[in-house]
Amino acid sequence: MPSYSIDGIVPVVDSSSYVHPLASLIGDVIIGPGCYVGPFASLRGDFGRIVLDSGSNVQDSCTIHTGLGTETLIGRNGHVGHGAVLHGCRLMPNVLIGMNATVMDDALIGEDSIVGAMAYVKARFQVPPSVLVTGIPAKIVRSLSEEDLAGKLAGTRLYQTLAQRSLNYLRENEPLRIADSDRLQQRNELQSKI
């Protein structure tokens, strides 16, 4: 993975976390235990600090940045969907940010809340715990049910498992010229284990 220090500050990645080799970490980035960072994610701690608490995931093509002297925090078991942008905001534990959503400076997303796909959370917007926010600009739509929370947790756990699978088994290689004859069986066996 490309990891760059700036002003002598080096990114920190817990040994139980997986950061894809095509992700980029710059400066004051701290990745806690059991996290997953996907390909093409950019975590730029060149002006302020970025913290991923334990069990969080940042998926493919996400951009995480912050303003001068501020912090972007992804709380424990945070779940940040493909292409999301986080800038100088705070996500409390068990938050899900949908694909291509944007969360701006000084916004606070309350514990167990979900920001819907493509939502735009304005600067300084305060989201209470256990609600769904969607839209441009984002607005509170409804409280989350136990079923919503269980589904969110299941998705987060899947990425926690992916972090461990990636640490143990993901390897760069040349592609095959034709598919293995037992590929479908291998895939089914793998999915039954996950």
Side-chain angles (χ1 to χ4, degrees), residues 52-109:
L52 272 67
D53 205 346
S54 62
S56 294
N57 69 79
V58 172
Q59 298 171 20
D60 316 44
S61 302
C62 289
T63 300
I64 302 177
H65 194 232
T66 190
L68 191 60
T70 63
E71 180 177 88
T72 297
L73 170 68
I74 300 172
R76 179 181 40 80
N77 294 330
H79 190 100
V80 183
H82 310 289
V85 176
L86 304 179
H87 200 279
C89 55
R90 295 180 63 81
L91 313 182
M92 302 316 293
N94 302 308
V95 165
L96 184 149
I97 304 297
M99 291 184 243
N100 293 306
T102 298
V103 183
M104 293 302 296
D105 299 273
D106 298 318
L108 175 69
I109 311 300

Side-chain angles (χ1 to χ4, degrees), residues 136 147 180:
I136 304 173
E147 186 177 339
D180 299 339

Side-chain angles (χ1 to χ4, degrees), residues 12-18 30-36 51-55:
V12 176
V13 178
D14 187 272
S15 62
S16 65
S17 289
Y18 178 79
I30 300 172
I31 298 176
C35 294
Y36 174 87
V51 177
L52 272 67
D53 205 346
S54 62

